[in-house]
Amino acid sequence: MFEINRRRNNPRWNIREDLAGYMFIMPTILVLGTFVVLPILYAVFLSLQKVQLLGGIEYEFIGFRNFTQLAEDERVWIALRNTAQYVAIVVPTQTVLALILAVTLNSGIRGKNWWRILYFLPTVTSSTVLTLIFMWIYNTDGLLNDFLTFMGLPTYNWLGDPAVALKGIMIMNIWSTAPFFMVIYLAALQDIPQTLYEAAELDGANEWQQFIHITLPLLKPVTFFVVAVGVIGTFQLFDQSYIFSGGTGGPNNATLTVVLLIYQSVFRNLQMGYAAAIAFLLAAVIIAITLIQRRLFGGERI
Amino acid sequence: MIKISGLSWLKVLLYILLTFYAIVTLIPFLWALSASFKPLTEIVSGEPNFLPKNFTLDNYRQIFLQEPLFWRWLFNSVAIAVSVTLLNLLLNSMAGYALARLRFVGKRFWFFLILAVLAVPTQITLIPTFLILKAIGWLNSYQGMIVPSMVNATFIFMMRQFFVNFPKELEEAAQLDGLNTFGIFRHIVLPLAKPALAAQAVFVFMGSWNNFLLPIVILFDPEMFTLPLGLNTFKGQYISYWNYIMAASMVFTLPALGIYAFFNRYFIQSVTFTGGKG
């Protein structure tokens, strides 16, 4: 009450506080304005133009032709299909693996923190380094094929065979991302009150029943978060495909992803407007899936 | 949840499972580390030995002494990641503090704008950002890598939540002692925000250090490359010299590991914070 009156009665105080507020937030406004808000508007503009990049930049308004071109472009469909396949396999696998690891770590074993630090290693390491290491392990005469031979299993040309190239990236990314979600699950598991399990035990529920009827339902909001972040992350696959294929998306477009296609459209084909249209397509797909997922999870708020 | 007391067969099974996964986690790193100390002849001989037979430091000597740009890439990466991290810590907390504590015209508008920005996919802004940087002549420059990344809506939001729950009394006491808003922020608020800042430092540093997409779009002169780009061209140049590539990869990984080990405690705390607690 007192402060409100002071503000009303003293315009100088008012201005001073406004000034302080804006001095604190001005850098943020400038940066987000220039590199997020302006780019969004610019992207809308670009997607309706044919952009010429000879010397200076020239624009030619072509309406929705970039978007109609999308539907006819075979590589867009290949990239979408690859990316969708990647998401469909990687997200469920890494989520289940993360949950298994978290529950195992949380079951009263010794040295929990040490396991956790160890498992987290791949998440901390850069995708560039991981991709290089895996490319080497995936070599035709590399460690993985040695191991498969030793086990009496068939070997693959992981990098050169279109049938398995994307699977190689999947394996690597499940391996490197699962620990991140494991840590999130671990944090959530620790928030579940012990009394719930004690009560269930008194009621005669065994450990498996406790897991199904207490742990899983209480983890639902976290699972929503893990799946949502997983979907967004996997749809943006770029680094690994780029490094694996030397930027081409090969062999035979097997590792071509939507973001790699956007990159190629800009820097190989110099089609800025078309690339902006692909970016909008990708954003629409991600937003749609997130909304559907929110429906499925009953509109849980995180 | 599985809760086991005493040493039962189930517990033994759990330890076996954990050990197995630890091996799965470690093998690629150990394999790369060991290769970085092997001569190329030993690597291509195809023997799967994890301990180098002919231990050598030549690979590291090669990348540090013979590869003219390696130091430059290391310097670029460190300079950019450190600047981006420090600027983020300062600017995100300033914005978060203003949104949590200061009163000014249009605060609600800016708050909702920052929330909206959180939801924008990076692909949308990537190409226009490239064109804007081109227009102001910041392509292939440090400022082009630093300025667009020096604030982060996610962490502004996180800092705001942190400051909202922050006890007001200390700030009020400092105000009575005659400190102005900047003084309070500098001497009272920032020191008390250390855990939140440490967690943020890890995330921002790692993000910048490991970033591949932004540098590959806006840097094109090999002198300006950061380590991820340098390493990628390195791969092309030394296409089957896995000994050099692995040594360079190990050098690149070390700083990130160091930061992670150093801040590990805060890092996990912050994950608890973002882990969807109500």
Side-chain angles (χ1 to χ4, degrees), chain B residues 50-111:
Chain B
F50 276 84
L51 282 177
K53 255 189 266 167
N54 307 296
F55 182 90
T56 176
L57 289 173
D58 282 350
N59 305 326
Y60 289 93
R61 244 176 247 135
Q62 166 78 18
I63 57 167
F64 279 118
L65 302 178
Q66 305 297 318
E67 178 53 50
L69 286 178
F70 195 79
W71 282 104
R72 184 65 199 262
W73 296 335
L74 192 61
F75 171 80
N76 291 346
S77 268
V78 170
I80 291 169
V82 169
S83 322
V84 166
T85 307
L86 292 177
L87 284 163
N88 263 281
L89 292 183
L90 178 70
L91 299 178
N92 295 341
S93 14
M94 279 169 59
Y97 185 70
L99 292 175
R101 281 287 205 269
L102 304 180
R103 274 182 296 183
F104 53 95
V105 180
K107 181 164 114 172
R108 279 175 65 83
F109 171 78
W110 297 117
F111 181 57

Side-chain angles (χ1 to χ4, degrees), chain A residues 3 22 110 119 191 215, chain B residues 1 15 18 103 105 210 277:
Chain A
E3 283 196 35
Y22 273 94
R110 291 165 72 92
Y119 288 177
D191 286 346
T215 312
Chain B
M1 172 150 49
Y15 278 109
L18 287 173
R103 274 182 296 183
V105 180
N210 295 335
K277 269 205 285 187

Side-chain angles (χ1 to χ4, degrees), chain A residues 11-51:
Chain A
R12 260 180 55 205
W13 167 273
N14 226 332
I15 287 169
R16 249 184 51 192
E17 220 182 324
D18 280 341
L19 213 65
Y22 273 94
M23 287 184 92
F24 270 72
I25 207 169
M26 197 39 87
T28 297
I29 295 175
L30 287 177
V31 173
L32 293 185
T34 315
F35 295 107
V36 183
V37 180
L38 185 62
I40 294 169
L41 303 174
Y42 201 174
V44 175
F45 168 79
L46 278 175
S47 69
L48 303 174
Q49 309 284 323
K50 187 180 167 72
V51 185

Side-chain angles (χ1 to χ4, degrees), chain A residues 182-244:
Chain A
M182 170 198 79
V183 172
I184 290 171
Y185 269 128
L186 257 179
L189 282 172
Q190 274 151 14
D191 286 346
I192 300 177
Q194 274 307 309
T195 47
L196 285 177
Y197 294 106
E198 286 158 16
E201 222 169 304
L202 285 178
D203 289 341
N206 65 26
E207 277 149 4
W208 178 247
Q209 288 167 330
Q210 291 176 28
F211 177 73
I212 296 292
H213 296 291
I214 299 175
T215 312
L216 276 188
L218 284 173
L219 286 179
K220 211 169 140 189
V222 182
T223 303
F224 172 79
F225 175 81
V226 167
V227 173
V229 173
V231 166
I232 293 169
T234 45
F235 261 112
Q236 302 187 355
L237 178 66
F238 172 78
D239 307 7
Q240 295 85 341
S241 287
Y242 184 93
I243 298 172
F244 255 102

